[in-house]
Amino acid sequence: MKLEGKTAVITGGGRGIGAAVAGSLAEEGVSVVVSARSESEIDAVAEQLRSRGHAAWAVPCDVTDPTQVSGLAETATEHLGQVDILINNAGTVTSAPLKSLTLETWNRTLAVNATGVFLCTKALLPGMVERGWGRVVNIASIAGKTGGPYISAYSASKHAVIGFTRSVAAEVATSGVTVNAVCPGYVNTPMTDRSVERIVEKTGADPESVRETMRRTSPQNRLMEPEEIALVVVNLCDPGARGMNGQAVVIDGGGVQS
Ligand code: NDP
């Protein structure tokens, strides 16, 4: 319980990876604020954590809106006293061949996945630096390290997250704060369920064969589970992990090796 007494904000904490990270941090004794746009989802996650005896609050916020992000930082600080850990997890996936990728989809993808990370980090990192301890973990993707057909906007947004992670990590390297990213392959979450549905709609393929194709992107021939991503995130937050800085850790069963 080396994180006992610490505090964290998890964006996109209403489901999937974010909800798992909130649960794992809470199990380590971290007081958490879970945030996302859907109030019913974050309320349910916070309520479930409280029912297990943890300190948890739900604070709604759209990470693309600077005013809402300032509000999140303020309200989270009121609940938690201070914010020691920021998990930038809120994200959206879009896919389209370049010829039909609209400017609107490009802008929306970059706004949520990249600008959201920038805004939340800008709001909460200065306090960590001032106090001499903090952890920022950005949930990127293997699409932040490699490209692929139909994901140019998503891949560009995740490459942006990794570049941002590396640069901010260098900027705060002597402060006691670390900034890292994790890069999952396909994870068993509602986002992946929606991706399967979209592919089935567009191609008429059988859902199980779509899932099988996704599984085969990993040498372990499986989807990752949200709890596995949460475990790596918690380890990056550990006070003993102070030498891990500016890294983008792949969690995909060994497919992308960089
Ligand atoms: P889900 O769609 O299951 O959850 C995404 C979360 O982000 C939700 O809580 C959603 O809530 C929130 N969110 C989305 N848009 C915004 C916004 N504008 N402002 C605030 N919150 C927002 O996704 P996953 O759990 O699968 O993904 C989490 C992260 O992991 C994402 O960054 C994703 O890109 C990344 N990732 C996922 C992989 C996968 O295979 N699933 C693989 C690699 C990376 P709401 O809509 O209510 O706001």
Side-chain angles (χ1 to χ4, degrees), residues 17 29 45 57-58 72 76 85 99 122 161-162 182 184 199 206 212 219 229 250 255:
I17 296 170
V45 170
W57 293 266
L72 168 63
I85 296 167
K99 64 177 184 217
K122 205 168 152 57
V161 171
I162 294 177
V182 297
I199 294 168
D206 165 55
E212 180 58 17
I229 315 306
V250 175

Side-chain angles (χ1 to χ4, degrees), residues 125 134-138 140 144-145 158-183 236-237 241-250 258:
L125 182 80
R135 296 284 182 264
V136 178
V137 182
N138 301 323
K145 296 208 170 191
K158 294 299 187 180
H159 275 73
V161 171
I162 294 177
F164 179 78
T165 301
R166 290 173 171 155
S167 299
V168 179
E171 220 168 289
V172 301
T174 58
S175 71
V177 179
T178 65
V179 185
N180 291 289
V182 297
C183 301
L236 287 169
C237 293
R242 65 184 205 268
M244 288 286 287
N245 192 30
Q247 302 306 309
V249 183
V250 175
S258 80

Side-chain angles (χ1 to χ4, degrees), residues 49-236:
L49 293 177
R50 282 194 297 268
S51 74
R52 285 196 243 138
H54 304 306
W57 293 266
V59 179
C61 170
D62 182 334
V63 295
T64 65
D65 180 340
T67 310
Q68 290 191 40
V69 171
S70 300
L72 168 63
E74 211 171 291
T75 312
T77 304
E78 277 166 25
H79 289 313
L80 302 168
Q82 64 186 45
V83 179
D84 302 314
I85 296 167
L86 169 63
I87 311 299
N88 280 310
N89 164 78
T92 189
V93 70
T94 53
S95 75
L98 183 62
K99 64 177 184 217
S100 53
L101 177 63
T102 62
L103 178 61
E104 195 214 345
T105 299
W106 169 270
N107 282 341
R108 182 165 48 85
T109 311
L110 271 286
V112 180
N113 294 356
T115 309
V117 173
F118 158 70
L119 290 173
C120 293
T121 307
K122 205 168 152 57
L124 289 167
L125 182 80
M128 298 179 202
V129 171
E130 213 175 283
R131 292 185 296 272
W133 195 89
R135 296 284 182 264
V136 178
V137 182
N138 301 323
I139 313 301
S141 165
I142 52 170
K145 296 208 170 191
T146 60
Y150 314 137
I151 56 163
S152 55
Y154 185 71
S155 180
S157 73
K158 294 299 187 180
H159 275 73
V161 171
I162 294 177
F164 179 78
T165 301
R166 290 173 171 155
S167 299
V168 179
E171 220 168 289
V172 301
T174 58
S175 71
V177 179
T178 65
V179 185
N180 291 289
V182 297
C183 301
Y186 281 114
V187 186
N188 191 12
T189 71
M191 177 183 275
T192 299
D193 294 341
R194 284 195 307 280
S195 295
V196 171
E197 283 165 18
R198 268 197 304 271
I199 294 168
V200 168
E201 262 166 44
K202 274 188 190 157
T203 65
D206 165 55
E208 189 40 41
S209 76
V210 176
R211 282 193 173 270
E212 180 58 17
T213 308
M214 287 175 166
R215 286 195 282 269
R216 278 177 197 234
T217 60
S218 168
Q220 293 181 340
N221 199 17
R222 66 182 184 92
L223 303 188
M224 304 296 111
E225 293 299 327
E227 293 69 25
E228 299 178 72
I229 315 306
L231 179 69
V232 177
V233 171
V234 168
N235 283 327
L236 287 169

